[in-house]
Amino acid sequence: VEEIPQLNFAVRKGSETTPYGIEYNSIFTYSIKAIQELNAKLQQKKTKVALLKEQIQNLKIDINHLIQS
């Protein structure tokens, strides 16, 4: 986390006697935003898959009509 510019503010620096720490409350909003972005991408993919499945079904129907003609 320390090497990520957007999140390094949340790192409590350590020393030889004190361990490093993370302010989890500070990065919580970043994780919520990341989840929202991933969910939006997932919904787009689901929509695309549904459209492609519909196209496949339509092509199968067209092929069957051609075969029966």
Side-chain angles (χ1 to χ4, degrees):
V1 173
E2 183 180 22
E3 295 178 9
I4 302 171
Q6 297 88 348
L7 298 176
N8 63 5
F9 70 92
V11 175
R12 287 190 315 260
K13 303 288 184 191
S15 67
E16 290 182 16
T17 58
T18 306
Y20 277 71
I22 296 179
E23 298 289 337
Y24 288 101
N25 289 334
S26 298
I27 61 174
F28 180 71
T29 54
Y30 282 94
S31 65
I32 295 297
K33 182 64 177 168
I35 291 168
Q36 290 171 339
E37 290 174 4
L38 289 171
N39 186 53
K41 288 181 180 182
L42 176 63
Q43 296 309 316
Q44 290 173 348
K45 299 291 183 187
K46 285 182 175 183
T47 300
K48 186 174 183 177
V49 167
L51 290 172
L52 290 171
K53 284 182 176 181
E54 184 179 343
Q55 288 177 348
I56 289 170
Q57 188 61 34
N58 289 338
L59 288 171
K60 286 180 179 180
I61 292 170
D62 290 346
I63 289 171
N64 284 334
H65 286 182
L66 289 171
I67 290 172
Q68 293 174 359
S69 296

